């Protein structure tokens, strides 16, 4: 059995085969290019979504930080305003209290003007000092303007002390070293060579009363403090 030898392709057939091969390669390249583009687009979209999400998180964090900072500043401002307001109220209250004591001092300055009442007051102040000192020998000092009254009142005070308490005391009015006029009046009585002293001047009594009455005055003038938890 015999076979015919293969016939060689002419130029037209070669050209046709080459065009088919070129078309196939081109088609393969286009499909590959589309695949690459689709994959690139997917990766781009994924990366873009990540960036958008991260940026959104960053923006939200910055916003929250700014909100917190604003809240802190607001609280600081409110606290500052409240403290300033409280301080102003305290200053006004203190000013009012001081004016009350200034008025009281002004009234005390008038006490010596009523001689009879003032002499009775001097006797009582001396007797009170004698009781506190509980000594047999005392020195009595007063303002220079009161020396004459003291010479009259101290003996009466000694007599009253003896009658009321059954005790004797030798009281000497000290003239060389009188008290300053700023004490407003009253007496300062000492014992044991002036080592122990009872200050019964009007100024000292005012200061003592001021300390003791301060809580009551605050309550009368300003009412009960809302911050106070315990009461006597």
């Amino acid at each position: 059995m015999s076979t015919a030898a293969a016939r060689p392709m002419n130029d037209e057939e070669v050209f046709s085969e080459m065009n088919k091969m070129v078309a196939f390669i081109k088609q393969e390249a286009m499909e590959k290019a589309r695949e690459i583009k689709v994959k690139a687009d997917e990766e781009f979209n994924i990366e873009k979504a990540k960036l958008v999400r991260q940026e959104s998180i960053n923006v939200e964090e910055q916003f929250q930080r700014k909100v917190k900072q604003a809240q802190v500043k607001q609280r600081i401002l409110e606290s500052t305003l409240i403290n300033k307001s409280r301080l102003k109220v305290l200053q006004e209250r203190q000013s009012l209290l001081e004016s009350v004591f200034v008025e009281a001092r002004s009234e005390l300055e008038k006490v010596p003007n009523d001689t009879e009442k003032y002499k009775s007051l001097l006797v009582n102040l001396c007797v009170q000092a004698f009781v506190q000192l509980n000594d047999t020998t005392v020195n009595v000092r007063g303002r220079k303007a009161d020396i004459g009254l003291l010479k009259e009142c101290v003996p009466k005070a000694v007599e009253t002390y003896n009658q009321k308490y059954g005790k004797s005391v030798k009281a000497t009015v000290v003239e060389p070293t009188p008290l300053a006029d700023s004490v407003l009046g009253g007496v300062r009585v000492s014992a044991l060579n002036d080592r122990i002293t009872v200050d019964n001047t009007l100024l000292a009594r005012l200061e003592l009363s001021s300390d003791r009455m301060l809580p009551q005055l605050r309550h009368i003038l300003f009412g009960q403090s809302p911050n106070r938890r315990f009461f006597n």
Side-chain angles (χ1 to χ4, degrees):
M1 182 175 177
S2 61
T3 59
R7 182 178 63 85
M9 292 185 296
N10 57 32
D11 292 342
E12 185 178 344
E13 289 174 338
V14 170
F15 182 73
S16 175
E17 288 297 323
M18 289 182 64
N19 283 340
K20 289 179 182 180
M21 292 178 62
V22 169
F24 175 78
I25 293 172
K26 185 176 180 181
Q27 182 65 30
E28 287 291 322
M30 290 178 63
E31 289 179 0
K32 191 66 176 178
R34 279 196 299 268
E35 290 178 3
I36 293 173
K37 184 177 185 304
V38 169
K39 187 175 181 181
D41 289 343
E42 289 177 354
E43 292 178 352
F44 170 77
N45 289 330
I46 292 171
E47 189 64 26
K48 183 175 71 172
K50 288 182 181 178
L51 292 174
V52 170
R53 186 165 55 253
Q54 185 60 46
E55 190 62 25
S56 297
I57 293 173
N58 293 340
V59 170
E60 178 65 21
E61 289 177 349
Q62 290 177 4
F63 174 75
Q64 291 299 329
R65 281 198 298 270
K66 289 182 179 180
V67 168
K68 290 181 180 178
Q69 289 173 355
Q71 290 174 341
V72 170
K73 288 181 180 179
Q74 180 68 20
R75 286 195 293 268
I76 292 173
L77 178 60
E78 290 176 355
S79 177
T80 300
L81 292 175
I82 290 172
N83 289 336
K84 285 184 178 180
S85 177
R86 286 176 178 171
L87 181 59
K88 186 174 182 180
V89 170
L90 290 175
Q91 289 173 340
E92 291 294 334
R93 288 183 175 184
Q94 185 62 31
S95 178
L96 181 57
L97 286 171
E98 289 175 357
S99 69
V100 170
F101 294 128
V102 168
E103 182 65 24
R105 180 187 176 110
S106 178
E107 291 299 316
L108 280 179
E109 290 176 351
K110 301 175 185 178
V111 169
N113 295 339
D114 189 332
T115 305
E116 292 305 316
K117 287 185 178 180
Y118 185 47
K119 287 196 294 185
S120 177
L121 176 62
L122 289 174
V123 171
N124 291 332
L125 292 174
C126 285
V127 172
Q128 185 184 66
F130 297 163
V131 172
Q132 288 181 270
L133 290 171
N134 192 28
D135 204 341
T136 56
T137 304
V138 298
N139 291 324
V140 180
R141 290 180 172 82
R143 300 182 306 168
K144 185 176 181 179
D146 294 337
I147 294 298
L149 292 176
L150 288 175
K151 288 181 178 180
E152 180 181 347
C153 295
V154 168
K156 291 182 180 180
V158 170
E159 183 181 354
T160 301
Y161 177 69
N162 178 263
Q163 292 176 352
K164 191 171 183 179
Y165 298 97
K167 296 181 179 181
S168 299
V169 61
K170 179 182 178 182
T172 303
V173 177
V174 180
E175 296 186 50
T177 54
L179 303 180
D181 290 337
S182 59
V183 301
L184 306 179
V187 294
R188 190 175 291 159
V189 184
S190 59
L192 300 177
N193 293 323
D194 296 336
R195 289 196 296 272
I196 302 176
T197 300
V198 173
D199 195 345
N200 263 355
T201 60
L202 298 186
L203 179 61
R205 299 305 293 266
L206 174 62
E207 291 174 347
L208 181 62
S209 298
S210 300
D211 291 339
R212 289 180 177 176
M213 294 181 63
L214 195 57
Q216 298 176 27
L217 282 174
R218 285 200 178 104
H219 180 68
I220 292 171
L221 293 173
F222 313 122
Q224 189 62 57
S225 172
N227 297 324
R228 187 175 180 184
R229 298 183 179 179
F230 304 100
F231 306 94
N232 294 329

